[in-house]
Amino acid sequence: MWRHRIKPRPDWERIVTEQGLVFPVTELPDGTKRPYWNESAWYEFTGDEVNTLEAATEELWAMCLDAAGHMAATMTDQRLGLPAGTMEVVQRSIGRQDPSLYSRFDLVYGADGTIKMLEINGDTPTGLVEAGVVQWRWLEDRLPELDQWNSVHERLVAGWQRLRTSGATTGNELHFFYDLGEGESYDDGEMEMTAHYLMDTAVQAGFATMAHPMAEVGWNPDAREFRDVNDYPVRNAFKLYAWEEMLGEAFGRHLVEQREARPVNWFEPAWKAMLSTKALLPVLWERNPGHPLLLPAYFDSPGDLENWVAKPLHGREGDNIRIHLADALEDLVMPGAYGTEGFVYQAYTELPVFDGNHVVLGSWVIDNEAAGMLVRESDGPVTDYYGRVCPHVISDALSPDDAQRLAWLAERVGPNAPSVR
């Protein structure tokens, strides 16, 4: 992995905004702005490196599904800091084998070629527009003769098609709900942007779609069903809204108490709550001790770790992360509102640093297949709200033609995909 500087395209902000990335720049606390989409640099990978990352992603995915099933069978709401009744909803979801669409790993790719899993966002991952659209269009403009590890868009469309034709949905209509946020919690439109991009891929897969904020979903007590903002019944729904929040609200109690006359088919499914909590990390380590893709992790205390990272069970965007290094004068503690639900402790590992930028790789799993990568940079060891994303290139692979891309997509979709049990 190498970092290269490059001159951004003229008028790049307009270009990426028109491609769907509605927040190309980030405003810092002092009021200044910096690019969120950082095309003043790109990252180079070889085909062998991508093959290694791809294999690691799929191995980790299988381990995560195993861990999720184990957690559902052995752990409690209280242990995981979840609303009462959550584990019953999760167990029912696993019992039905509810299908999922996508997840994103955060990986550390060391200079010695080692790969370590930092965590997985299995319930509400964002970054799809950047990964699936903007960086691919950048490649077409700047280095069109080369390739990129990126089948994000094609696999999303194919994943929706599989869900539509496999009996996982009721009818052909699909709602998209998102957390709009307001005040200090407003996310510059990230959730809405991501939901609308996913809606576009669902339309390409043949769904009739509708979208609105989660807060506008209603409940009809007579029909015992959820209704959208137009009082239309919700049968199938994608929600960019965390299960641990949803089930703690009056809205979610209808699900916990099984009050629906005809349950909604939710994407992502409820069992994904097991892949949304950092409690997954010590469970993975318990079930795969010493695995080279994992970092040691423990519940409640750092155990024998000298250098560690404390992570709140439900934390996001680096909030409330605490890094303790044995030779440091004081810990690095990030602000935030998480932590009352409990912490896990994970061994600290250094991120690779290029030109002062700390780098984490976002690795996508879509429809059970490794699907591509997004490179994220930060100023320090915690990837927070002020991180940036850069495009990447496979430098020793020429751009494939459409026939080759279709062949790759077909050959990697196999019958032996792992499942949660």
Side-chain angles (χ1 to χ4, degrees), residues 204-319:
Q204 292 183 46
F207 278 106
T209 63
M210 298 149 276
H212 60 75
M214 194 77 182
E216 295 180 0
V217 178
W219 172 256
N220 184 309
D222 298 324
R224 294 190 294 124
E225 61 185 16
F226 293 106
R227 298 283 181 91
D228 72 7
V229 69
N230 297 311
D231 200 32
Y232 194 82
V234 178
R235 303 292 184 228
N236 313 296
F238 171 87
K239 51 91 194 154
L240 209 52
Y241 195 68
W243 276 103
E244 69 264 18
E245 296 179 21
M246 188 164 139
L247 295 179
E249 300 169 356
F251 174 95
R253 302 318 294 177
H254 300 306
L255 297 171
V256 173
E257 302 297 334
Q258 301 186 75
R259 297 170 185 161
E260 295 170 279
R262 183 164 53 176
V264 173
N265 301 306
W266 291 100
F267 306 102
E268 296 297 312
W271 64 261
K272 280 298 201 68
M274 300 296 94
L275 302 191
S276 181
T277 168
K278 305 302 186 292
L280 176 75
L281 301 174
V283 175
L284 280 171
W285 187 248
E286 289 170 5
R287 294 182 67 75
N288 307 275
H291 195 287
L293 296 176
L294 301 176
L295 292 164
Y298 306 100
F299 283 104
D300 304 324
S301 79
D304 59 356
L305 300 175
E306 294 185 353
N307 302 311
W308 47 262
V309 182
K311 296 183 174 183
L313 293 180
H314 303 159
R316 300 180 188 280
E317 301 284 359
D319 280 0

Side-chain angles (χ1 to χ4, degrees), residues 180-201:
L180 191 60
E182 57 184 15
E184 293 184 355
S185 67
Y186 181 64
D187 65 358
D188 293 327
E190 184 177 32
M191 292 287 193
E192 185 173 7
M193 175 189 78
T194 304
H196 278 81
Y197 172 57
L198 281 165
M199 188 168 69
D200 179 63
T201 60

Side-chain angles (χ1 to χ4, degrees), residues 57-340:
T57 298
E58 297 195 346
E59 186 174 1
L60 286 167
W61 177 241
M63 287 193 286
C64 286
L65 295 183
D66 166 74
H70 176 76
M71 293 165 71
T74 63
M75 305 186 84
T76 64
D77 299 326
Q78 185 177 20
R79 185 70 176 106
L80 298 177
L82 294 168
T86 296
M87 297 306 284
E88 293 180 16
V89 178
V90 167
Q91 289 159 1
R92 293 198 293 265
S93 176
I94 292 176
R96 294 188 300 266
Q97 288 287 286
D98 289 343
S100 70
L101 181 66
Y102 78 120
S103 299
R104 192 198 71 225
F105 284 101
D106 285 347
L107 304 177
V108 178
Y109 189 42
D112 59 356
T114 58
I115 299 170
K116 299 292 184 185
M117 172 185 165
L118 291 177
E119 56 194 47
I120 180 174
N121 189 331
D123 188 16
T124 60
T126 56
L128 280 175
V129 176
E130 300 91 311
V133 178
V134 177
Q135 70 166 344
W136 181 257
R137 295 292 185 86
W138 174 90
L139 181 77
E140 291 180 325
D141 284 348
R142 301 309 304 264
L143 298 166
E145 70 279 8
L146 297 179
D147 199 6
Q148 188 176 82
W149 180 25
N150 193 348
S151 58
V152 169
H153 184 86
E154 293 91 338
R155 290 196 185 281
L156 286 172
V157 174
W160 285 123
Q161 286 174 332
R162 184 181 66 82
L163 293 173
R164 185 174 62 84
T165 58
S166 67
T169 56
T170 304
N172 197 45
E173 295 169 340
L174 179 58
H175 282 84
F176 285 79
F177 303 132
Y178 49 88
D179 183 10
L180 191 60
E182 57 184 15
E184 293 184 355
S185 67
Y186 181 64
D187 65 358
D188 293 327
E190 184 177 32
M191 292 287 193
E192 185 173 7
M193 175 189 78
T194 304
H196 278 81
Y197 172 57
L198 281 165
M199 188 168 69
D200 179 63
T201 60
V203 169
Q204 292 183 46
F207 278 106
T209 63
M210 298 149 276
H212 60 75
M214 194 77 182
E216 295 180 0
V217 178
W219 172 256
N220 184 309
D222 298 324
R224 294 190 294 124
E225 61 185 16
F226 293 106
R227 298 283 181 91
D228 72 7
V229 69
N230 297 311
D231 200 32
Y232 194 82
V234 178
R235 303 292 184 228
N236 313 296
F238 171 87
K239 51 91 194 154
L240 209 52
Y241 195 68
W243 276 103
E244 69 264 18
E245 296 179 21
M246 188 164 139
L247 295 179
E249 300 169 356
F251 174 95
R253 302 318 294 177
H254 300 306
L255 297 171
V256 173
E257 302 297 334
Q258 301 186 75
R259 297 170 185 161
E260 295 170 279
R262 183 164 53 176
V264 173
N265 301 306
W266 291 100
F267 306 102
E268 296 297 312
W271 64 261
K272 280 298 201 68
M274 300 296 94
L275 302 191
S276 181
T277 168
K278 305 302 186 292
L280 176 75
L281 301 174
V283 175
L284 280 171
W285 187 248
E286 289 170 5
R287 294 182 67 75
N288 307 275
H291 195 287
L293 296 176
L294 301 176
L295 292 164
Y298 306 100
F299 283 104
D300 304 324
S301 79
D304 59 356
L305 300 175
E306 294 185 353
N307 302 311
W308 47 262
V309 182
K311 296 183 174 183
L313 293 180
H314 303 159
R316 300 180 188 280
E317 301 284 359
D319 280 0
N320 301 101
I321 290 283
R322 177 185 174 191
I323 296 178
H324 172 84
L325 303 179
D327 60 357
L329 294 177
E330 59 183 37
D331 292 354
L332 170 65
V333 181
M334 302 296 289
Y338 297 100
T340 56

